[in-house]
Amino acid sequence: RTVQLADRATDGPAIGAAANALGLAQLAQGDPAAALRTFRHALGAFPRSTRPADHAMVKANLALAHEQAGDLARARLAARQSLGVPGAAAPVRAQAQDLLRAHPGDPASDLWWVLDQEGPGAAAAVFRDELLRVAELDAAQRTSVMSEVLDGLLQRPGSGSDFAEGLIAILLELPPTTYALVVTAIVGAVAGRSEQEADQLRGIVGSALVRFAMPQWQRLAASLNGAAEATGQPATWR
């Protein structure tokens, strides 16, 4: 009832607060499926860019709902993304950290498990919060995570470009500073690979790039080539 009233009033913070409280009640009742729907509704009312602390709180609660549903890969993914939000409150961070300690897992394996379950058509939605999380890491960690993402593209020869399309779609939406950090991490993740593997990755990304409007793919290709030249790599992104 409270959520419906807030929705009618189009009061974003009230919608989010009411939906988050309802989701917690649904969790307490042992109904994770309903809680997942409700927490996703709450996330829509708490954008990461404008209400980061609230967004982190709901993400941590979403992780609990996935945990209760037995979907540990998604639970860990949501918990890490909650921890990656600057300004997340201490209790929220503690809740997410507790979940990760209780259910250890590999970040790349979790990400690609979810991507494979969702399919290439949903890749952009999966990558969105993950790229924002990656941008908050230090340079070495960013490069390491992007290297694992690129490994996943290589390991999916039949669908690598389709997943890369989702990655690029989100990359092109990022604010300039975040965009530059991720582009640099992608180029850094190619450095040190064999020439054959590097060419394969450029081909996978290039095949996805041409699916976008010319100004978009030219912008990203130029950014990748600029970052490559700055580190002494060949400027052969296309």
Side-chain angles (χ1 to χ4, degrees):
R1 178 66 176 169
T2 305
V3 176
Q4 292 174 340
L5 290 173
D7 274 341
R8 289 173 190 160
T10 64
D11 184 339
I15 292 169
N20 184 63
L22 176 59
L24 290 171
Q26 290 166 333
L27 269 186
Q29 293 166 358
D31 191 352
L36 286 167
R37 291 191 296 270
T38 305
F39 287 136
R40 289 183 184 121
H41 188 55
L43 275 178
F46 287 144
R48 190 182 192 276
S49 58
T50 57
R51 300 189 70 89
D54 291 325
H55 184 90
M57 172 187 67
V58 178
K59 269 281 181 182
N61 290 337
L62 187 69
L64 292 181
H66 282 306
E67 179 189 34
Q68 191 176 109
D71 192 341
L72 297 181
R74 282 189 172 85
R76 288 188 294 261
L77 194 66
R80 292 187 195 102
Q81 290 170 354
S82 175
L83 289 170
V85 178
V92 169
R93 295 183 63 81
Q95 177 179 309
Q97 288 166 341
D98 286 346
L99 186 148
L100 291 171
R101 277 192 292 267
H103 305 288
D106 176 65
S109 296
D110 290 339
L111 174 63
W112 277 108
W113 188 91
V114 173
L115 285 165
D116 286 335
Q117 292 296 309
E118 294 293 330
V126 176
F127 276 126
R128 182 174 287 107
D129 280 356
E130 192 63 6
L131 287 187
L132 292 170
R133 181 187 78 84
V134 168
E136 298 295 335
L137 302 174
D138 64 36
Q141 290 174 317
R142 275 196 301 274
T143 300
S144 176
V145 172
M146 293 314 302
S147 183
E148 292 170 338
V149 170
L150 297 184
D151 287 343
L153 298 179
L154 286 171
Q155 292 160 9
R156 290 157 180 80
S159 57
S161 290
D162 297 325
F163 282 113
E165 182 180 356
L167 175 67
I168 291 167
I170 296 307
L171 182 54
L172 290 168
E173 293 178 1
L174 296 177
T177 300
T178 307
Y179 168 87
L181 290 172
V182 177
V183 165
T184 300
I186 291 172
V187 170
V190 174
R193 293 176 185 260
S194 69
E195 185 175 344
Q196 178 184 4
E197 199 168 86
D199 285 344
Q200 281 181 292
L201 284 169
R202 294 187 191 103
I204 289 169
V205 173
S207 295
L209 267 177
V210 297
R211 302 175 191 179
F212 292 83
M214 186 174 290
Q216 292 179 305
W217 72 253
Q218 286 183 329
R219 173 197 172 208
L220 182 52
S223 298
L224 290 165
N225 284 324
E229 288 177 335
T231 57
Q233 293 186 52
T236 53
W237 295 89
R238 55 196 184 279

